[in-house]
Amino acid sequence: MEIVKEEGPITGEQIGEHLSLTRATLRPDLAILTMVGFLGARPRVGYYYTGKTGAEIPLQEIKELKVKEYQSIPVVVGEADSVYDAISAMFLEDVGTLFVVDQSSQLAGVLSRKDLLRASIGKQDLETMPVSIIMTRMPNITVCRKEDFLLEAASLLIERQIDALPVVSEKDNHQYEVVGRVTKTTMTKALVHLVNSERPLGGNRS
Amino acid sequence: MEIVKEEGPITGEQIGEHLSLTRATLRPDLAILTMVGFLGARPRVGYYYTGKTGAEIPLQEIKELKVKEYQSIPVVVGEADSVYDAISAMFLEDVGTLFVVDQSSQLAGVLSRKDLLRASIGKQDLETMPVSIIMTRMPNITVCRKEDFLLEAASLLIERQIDALPVVSEKDNHQYEVVGRVTKTTMTKALVHLVNSERPLGGNRS
């Protein structure tokens, strides 16, 4: 691979000269290196380096990432809280989405920045208007669970065009306790993290 | 690999028996398959299948993705436009960030939902207040270019805690034309896309 990297495209015969080996001796090794994609081969041109170094991300590992590995802490408000209080909470906690809980701490609604912006340009008094008037309610809330695949949550964010999902723990009769949140920020961090946690393909390479 | 997959852990000698080949003949092939991580090898146990099938995402390819491959269309408002008009544009176009341009169509500022929400809970008249009063201005705007790496843009979104970057084309004396936008939605889509565009490692495997 070193030889091909430096001198490619190079024929099997030429590689053989470098190593004092016959082309026939090298052929099986070159075939495997080509098969796994580390080298490319073109007729009448020779072998060339593909740039694949074995620093690959196993797709299966990414597919199996769980929501719980990346979720962050949810920020909740009560359903009787005012819209003004919700806006304050959003700035204070610097989040894009708030989850609304009922008196027994179960998920009752979701408030996006868009919901709060829409309310704030209306003529109503934000300090007396409860968030329950403007929030998205169950069953129109898309939720996910700790054990769900992160990529499924990412797909939901895209498909439903929403910014965040509450991570819930399900109780009896569709009562949801909010235990986390995953957002497009979560997914952006996951993307950066996956690429930066560079490691070689397989566990046997040094 | 088929043999190891079905019968592993299996010694080199046993594999040789299956193929009517000596262990010495097989050794180089097994060494390469182990090196690239498709097979594992344990002393006194034998070769075993690692589950890596070649469905890997080449890290280098992800690192080399360009902003221009994923950017979307920017939504711009003029710096003399009112905050009310900006909020309307944000709802109409359904974006989280607006870019503000000056009279010569050059980047002058950025407006986030947060900026607009903060303004809308103030006491001012949104219909007469120009966006230039509340926008983030140059040189405090983080920009990127079409040829930048997508992952660099993703890192900037995370580090600077912002939702979107304008993709700019640079003119003389730091004049920027806005040619696109990349957001956390872009990155979430990229993550989903990368995993779903499953393909084998390298271009030479069928």
Side-chain angles (χ1 to χ4, degrees):
Chain A
M1 281 186 60
E2 302 267 304
I3 293 165
V4 177
K5 199 170 178 178
E6 282 184 14
E7 307 195 12
I10 181 171
T11 66
E13 217 148 73
Q14 289 167 324
I15 300 171
E17 283 167 24
H18 274 275
L19 298 168
S20 309
L21 292 170
T22 66
R23 197 182 148 199
T25 307
L26 279 174
R27 196 179 288 138
D29 285 7
L30 290 170
I32 290 185
L33 288 171
T34 306
M35 182 189 83
V36 298
F38 289 179
L39 297 185
R42 232 174 259 137
R44 280 185 299 279
V45 176
Y47 295 93
Y48 57 92
Y49 182 62
T50 57
K52 297 190 198 308
T53 58
E56 316 279 321
I57 302 178
L59 201 51
Q60 202 53 37
E61 273 183 37
I62 300 181
K63 286 191 176 173
E64 284 169 6
L65 291 174
K66 296 286 181 72
V67 160
K68 65 179 175 189
E69 297 172 57
Y70 282 89
Q71 71 184 42
S72 44
I73 294 166
V75 179
V76 301
V77 295
E79 55 183 343
D81 289 0
S82 74
V83 172
Y84 189 89
D85 287 342
I87 294 173
S88 303
M90 190 169 274
F91 278 106
L92 202 65
E93 306 282 351
D94 198 21
V95 290
T97 305
L98 297 170
F99 303 120
V100 184
V101 295
D102 63 20
Q103 285 178 320
S104 48
S105 293
Q106 304 303 301
L107 179 65
V110 171
L111 287 168
S112 68
R113 277 192 189 151
K114 218 164 133 184
D115 295 329
L116 294 175
L117 187 56
R118 191 183 292 112
S120 70
I121 55 172
K123 300 297 167 209
Q124 297 97 328
D125 180 2
L126 302 180
E127 298 191 37
T128 57
M129 182 173 26
V131 293
S132 55
I133 293 180
I134 63 160
M135 71 188 187
T136 298
R137 292 176 168 279
M138 291 300 291
N140 297 320
I141 304 171
T142 306
V143 302
C144 67
R145 285 149 189 94
K146 275 162 65 170
E147 297 297 329
D148 287 350
F149 293 126
L150 188 70
L151 264 290
E152 281 179 354
S155 299
L156 282 174
L157 292 174
I158 297 300
E159 280 164 28
R160 310 264 165 110
Q161 299 184 40
I162 48 182
D163 289 324
L165 295 176
V167 184
V168 299
S169 148
E170 200 159 356
K171 304 274 162 172
D172 302 333
N173 45 332
H174 301 284
Q175 291 283 72
Y176 291 128
E177 190 185 340
V178 185
V179 297
R181 77 178 205 278
V182 290
T183 68
K184 287 174 179 168
T185 304
T186 313
M187 301 308 166
T188 306
K189 281 183 183 166
L191 180 67
V192 172
H193 173 81
L194 287 170
V195 176
N196 289 342
S197 65
E198 191 166 342
R199 67 216 141 136
L201 170 66
N204 298 295
R205 286 164 64 86
S206 58
Chain B
M1 282 186 60
E2 303 267 302
I3 293 165
V4 177
K5 200 168 175 177
E6 283 185 12
E7 307 195 10
I10 180 171
T11 66
E13 217 149 73
Q14 289 167 322
I15 299 171
E17 283 167 23
H18 275 274
L19 299 168
S20 307
L21 293 169
T22 67
R23 197 182 147 197
T25 308
L26 280 175
R27 196 181 287 136
D29 286 7
L30 290 170
I32 290 186
L33 289 171
T34 306
M35 181 187 84
V36 299
F38 289 178
L39 297 185
R42 231 174 259 137
R44 279 185 300 278
V45 175
Y47 295 93
Y48 56 94
Y49 181 62
T50 58
K52 296 191 197 305
T53 58
E56 314 280 320
I57 301 179
L59 202 51
Q60 201 53 35
E61 273 182 38
I62 300 182
K63 285 191 175 173
E64 284 169 5
L65 292 174
K66 297 286 179 73
V67 161
K68 64 179 174 189
E69 298 171 59
Y70 283 89
Q71 71 183 41
S72 45
I73 294 166
V75 178
V76 301
V77 295
E79 56 182 342
D81 289 0
S82 73
V83 171
Y84 188 88
D85 287 343
I87 294 174
S88 303
M90 191 169 273
F91 278 107
L92 202 64
E93 305 282 350
D94 199 20
V95 291
T97 305
L98 297 171
F99 304 120
V100 183
V101 295
D102 64 18
Q103 284 179 321
S104 48
S105 293
Q106 303 303 302
L107 179 64
V110 171
L111 287 168
S112 68
R113 277 191 189 152
K114 218 165 135 183
D115 296 328
L116 294 175
L117 186 56
R118 193 183 292 110
S120 70
I121 56 172
K123 299 297 166 208
Q124 297 98 328
D125 180 2
L126 302 180
E127 297 190 38
T128 57
M129 182 175 23
V131 293
S132 56
I133 292 182
I134 63 160
M135 70 188 188
T136 299
R137 294 179 165 278
M138 292 298 292
N140 298 321
I141 304 172
T142 306
V143 301
C144 69
R145 285 149 190 93
K146 275 161 66 170
E147 298 297 328
D148 287 351
F149 294 126
L150 188 70
L151 265 291
E152 282 179 354
S155 299
L156 283 174
L157 291 174
I158 297 301
E159 280 165 27
R160 311 265 165 109
Q161 301 185 38
I162 48 183
D163 288 326
L165 296 176
V167 184
V168 299
S169 149
E170 198 158 358
K171 304 274 162 172
D172 303 332
N173 44 333
H174 303 284
Q175 292 282 70
Y176 292 128
E177 191 185 339
V178 185
V179 298
R181 76 177 206 279
V182 289
T183 68
K184 287 174 180 167
T185 304
T186 313
M187 303 308 166
T188 305
K189 282 183 183 167
L191 180 67
V192 172
H193 174 81
L194 288 170
V195 176
N196 289 340
S197 66
E198 191 166 341
R199 67 218 140 132
L201 170 67
N204 299 295
R205 287 164 63 86
S206 57

